[in-house]
Amino acid sequence: MKFVNRHSELTFLKERHEQDGFQFIPIYGRRRVGKTRLLREFLRDRPGIYFMADTAPEREQLKSLGREVGEFFQDNILAASGFQDWQQVFAYLKEKSRHTRLVLALDEFPYLVGANSAISSIFQKGVDLDLQDSRLMLLLTGSSMGMMEEEVLHARAPLYGRRTGSLEVKEMPFETLAELFPDMPFAGRVSIYSLFGAIPAYLERVIPTLTPLENIRRSVLDRGSFLYSEVEFLLREELREPRNYFVILRAIAQGKQKLSEIINDTGMDKSHVSRYLDILRSLRLVEKEVPVTEKYPDKSRAGLYRLHDRFFTFWFRYVFPFRGRLEIDQVDNVLEMIAETFDTFVGNAYEDICRAQCLSLMKKGVMAFTTLGRWWERNEEIDIVALDETENVAWFGECKWSRKKVGTDIYEDLVRKSRLVSWRDSTRFDRYVLFSRSGFTEAMVAKAKEEGVVLIHGDSIA
């Protein structure tokens, strides 16, 4: 799959590379998000050494690292014998990068921690005694978010004070799918996004000529496929005892979003559920959403929990509950059940896409806002509320993943609901935006022109 999107990340690394002196930059992000590919693209045009750690004992890792470094510098003795200890590594790199910028990218640093629990302190000492006076650019990456937080990113971590910057590699935006699948229609891209998000390692499994359901059969439901057990693998990598987390994640994926609902569905007591949710949020697997108008979001009792990752959402919604059937090859049966509700599932993802489109509209000057989110109260809900605190403007939006064109009834109901939102009631100016999969009726187009409503059909302004 071609390399796309990571312009800001590459620019950040290039700017740090051009600065003088020692640079130490931790690069982190969830597995499969494209950290390794980013490193390789960055090293394509500049001198550097890439080394991926693994689960081998420390002595073997030092020998492997010595082989890579020795081959890079054409040092046959080092390539044959390897490094004996980390002090030798730091002294050698200091000498080689004393006057020349050199990049060392150590991928999957948490595996080094697994081989030697004192490795972070050893690296801290190496930076202080050797590397600080060099022109080395040290890049440490890791996919275990918990381990990277503990060893590198947390304020109490040994290496925290030695870093000169840090870079989180996040999921790509939805618009990236248009670059990857230029011949795929908008509805197809939304369906693929609802399954896999914009995670590169998942998207490269997509066959554009197949329907979304055919891709599900081939890439997810097949017991031999990479994604069939992907969620279990990721959770085992991050969590020592994933069983209770599985139950909580499934409850959220099945629509139990309030804390009380999760407690009732799982049968766990409140203190345990709250603790598990805090851990899942720290790992960026779960997020807590509050109405956008809340003055104190952290203290809000109106919060709803949702899965942050699209593939996790799909897997816990459709794969985990039916593993028994899939294990005895009842794939067609499970696929039929998915087909019955798949359009609704995609519609939920479409709301996330519409919120992302608002950011694009702001870049184009169509909208302006300082806060973006959802709003709900009792039985009323608005898909998009974007507040511009500077200009006192409130944008209200509705997202319709329907095969019917959106008419004036949808717009009028949105206007009604907007009047229920309490935010600068007497002074604000209200604006409206409608998103539609299938377009708009002639009456709605006419009303939009008359009242200044922004209409978005697919991924373009109508």
Side-chain angles (χ1 to χ4, degrees):
M1 188 171 66
K2 68 178 181 179
F3 185 78
V4 297
N5 182 259
R6 302 296 188 189
H7 310 297
S8 62
E9 291 89 343
L10 282 174
T11 298
F12 171 80
L13 292 175
K14 289 175 182 177
E15 289 175 349
R16 292 307 175 105
H17 185 268
E18 292 169 1
Q19 292 182 12
D20 229 357
F22 173 69
Q23 292 287 324
F24 167 42
I25 301 173
I27 300 175
Y28 60 103
R30 57 151 292 177
R31 291 184 189 277
R32 323 299 190 200
V33 80
K35 300 182 299 299
T36 298
R37 183 69 182 276
L38 174 66
L39 287 178
R40 293 189 180 278
E41 289 293 324
F42 175 64
L43 290 171
R44 183 189 297 275
D45 302 321
R46 48 189 56 82
I49 302 162
Y50 171 83
F51 177 75
M52 176 177 282
D54 54 32
T55 57
E58 184 178 41
R59 181 177 295 274
E60 293 300 317
Q61 305 237 37
L62 284 165
K63 288 182 65 176
S64 298
L65 177 59
R67 188 182 310 116
E68 295 288 342
V69 175
E71 290 178 358
F72 180 82
F73 288 109
Q74 298 182 336
D75 184 337
N76 295 332
I77 295 176
L78 178 61
S81 61
F83 289 115
Q84 300 303 308
D85 54 40
W86 287 105
Q87 286 71 30
Q88 185 185 3
V89 174
F90 302 135
Y92 190 95
L93 292 173
K94 175 184 179 180
E95 183 62 30
K96 292 296 185 180
S97 61
R98 188 183 297 275
H99 304 296
T100 304
R101 170 64 84 201
L102 171 69
V103 180
L104 174 62
L106 292 179
D107 204 351
E108 292 300 351
F109 180 71
Y111 283 137
L112 296 180
V113 177
N116 183 346
S117 60
I119 197 69
S120 294
S121 296
I122 292 173
F123 267 66
Q124 175 190 347
K125 185 177 179 180
V127 170
D128 292 345
L129 298 182
D130 291 301
L131 303 182
Q132 197 72 255
D133 299 323
S134 73
R135 297 196 67 218
L136 181 73
M137 184 178 191
L138 176 61
L139 306 176
L140 292 187
T141 77
S143 297
S144 173
M145 294 296 293
M147 188 76 78
M148 288 296 287
E149 286 278 356
E150 183 178 343
E151 299 292 332
V152 182
L153 302 171
H154 195 277
R156 293 192 297 271
L159 286 170
Y160 178 81
R162 275 60 182 181
R163 62 182 182 170
T164 57
S166 61
L167 177 62
E168 181 179 6
V169 182
K170 299 181 180 180
E171 182 177 351
M172 298 184 298
F174 166 74
E175 60 197 38
T176 305
L177 271 68
E179 295 183 63
L180 295 174
F181 310 116
D183 298 326
M184 187 180 290
F186 177 78
R189 283 184 273 123
V190 173
S191 297
I192 292 299
Y193 178 84
S194 74
L195 291 170
F196 305 121
I199 301 296
Y202 301 163
L203 294 177
E204 66 184 14
R205 265 77 184 174
V206 173
I207 297 179
T209 54
L210 299 181
T211 68
L213 289 175
E214 289 170 338
N215 272 295
I216 291 171
R217 169 191 278 279
R218 176 184 175 276
S219 299
V220 184
L221 301 186
D222 185 334
R223 284 180 295 159
S225 67
F226 159 67
L227 292 174
Y228 182 71
S229 301
E230 167 74 349
V231 170
E232 294 170 301
F233 168 77
L234 293 178
L235 291 178
R236 281 197 301 268
E237 287 290 302
E238 287 285 0
L239 305 165
R240 294 178 182 176
E241 178 49 67
R243 185 178 306 168
N244 291 332
Y245 296 95
F246 265 80
V247 176
I248 291 174
L249 290 167
R250 181 189 176 184
I252 298 173
Q254 296 286 345
K256 309 301 189 295
Q257 293 187 289
K258 296 180 180 179
L259 180 60
S260 59
E261 293 174 339
I262 298 170
I263 292 170
N264 291 335
D265 190 78
T266 61
M268 301 179 190
D269 62 58
K270 182 178 180 180
S271 62
H272 285 157
V273 171
S274 297
R275 181 165 61 87
Y276 291 141
L277 285 171
D278 286 342
I279 293 171
L280 290 170
R281 289 176 68 191
S282 71
L283 296 174
R284 297 165 178 77
L285 296 177
V286 167
E287 59 187 1
K288 184 180 181 182
E289 188 180 22
V290 299
V292 70
T293 53
E294 290 286 289
K295 290 183 179 180
Y296 306 103
D298 293 338
K299 299 180 180 180
S300 174
R301 295 185 178 181
L304 300 177
Y305 292 92
R306 52 177 284 182
L307 300 191
H308 179 73
D309 183 273
R310 294 307 316 173
F311 182 67
F312 266 63
T313 305
F314 177 84
W315 195 90
F316 276 102
R317 175 70 176 84
Y318 291 116
V319 180
F320 185 51
F322 305 114
R323 286 293 289 274
R325 301 187 190 190
L326 293 172
E327 289 292 331
I328 58 174
D329 293 326
Q330 292 189 6
V331 176
D332 288 339
N333 177 264
V334 174
L335 202 60
E336 287 176 7
M337 290 189 294
I338 294 174
E340 290 175 0
T341 58
F342 186 64
D343 219 37
T344 301
F345 178 82
V346 175
N348 292 331
Y350 180 55
E351 293 182 14
D352 290 339
I353 291 169
C354 293
R355 280 187 281 274
Q357 286 180 309
C358 286
L359 298 173
S360 298
L361 291 172
M362 183 164 66
K363 292 178 182 178
K364 295 175 182 177
V366 177
M367 297 176 65
F369 51 85
T370 54
T371 308
L372 174 68
R374 283 197 308 139
W375 174 89
W376 63 89
E377 188 176 278
R378 298 184 180 89
N379 296 322
E380 301 285 3
E381 178 182 340
I382 301 177
D383 297 334
I384 291 174
V385 176
L387 306 176
D388 186 346
E389 297 180 0
T390 304
E391 299 296 329
N392 226 24
V393 175
W395 285 87
F396 300 95
E398 198 76 20
C399 311
K400 289 300 177 183
W401 187 251
S402 169
R403 298 183 187 277
K404 295 181 178 180
K405 293 184 176 183
V406 171
T408 56
D409 57 327
I410 301 297
Y411 168 61
E412 290 165 358
D413 190 53
L414 176 61
V415 173
R416 177 192 65 80
K417 290 188 292 185
S418 71
R419 292 168 180 160
L420 303 175
V421 178
S422 179
W423 183 77
R424 300 185 180 181
D425 299 351
S426 60
T427 60
R428 79 183 190 214
F429 178 65
D430 290 349
R431 295 291 308 274
Y432 299 93
V433 55
L434 298 177
F435 298 83
S436 172
R437 168 190 185 178
S438 304
F440 304 89
T441 63
E442 292 183 5
M444 185 62 240
V445 171
K447 184 171 280 290
K449 290 180 180 179
E450 181 182 324
E451 301 188 11
V453 181
V454 177
L455 303 180
I456 307 298
H457 178 197
D459 53 4
S460 60
I461 299 175

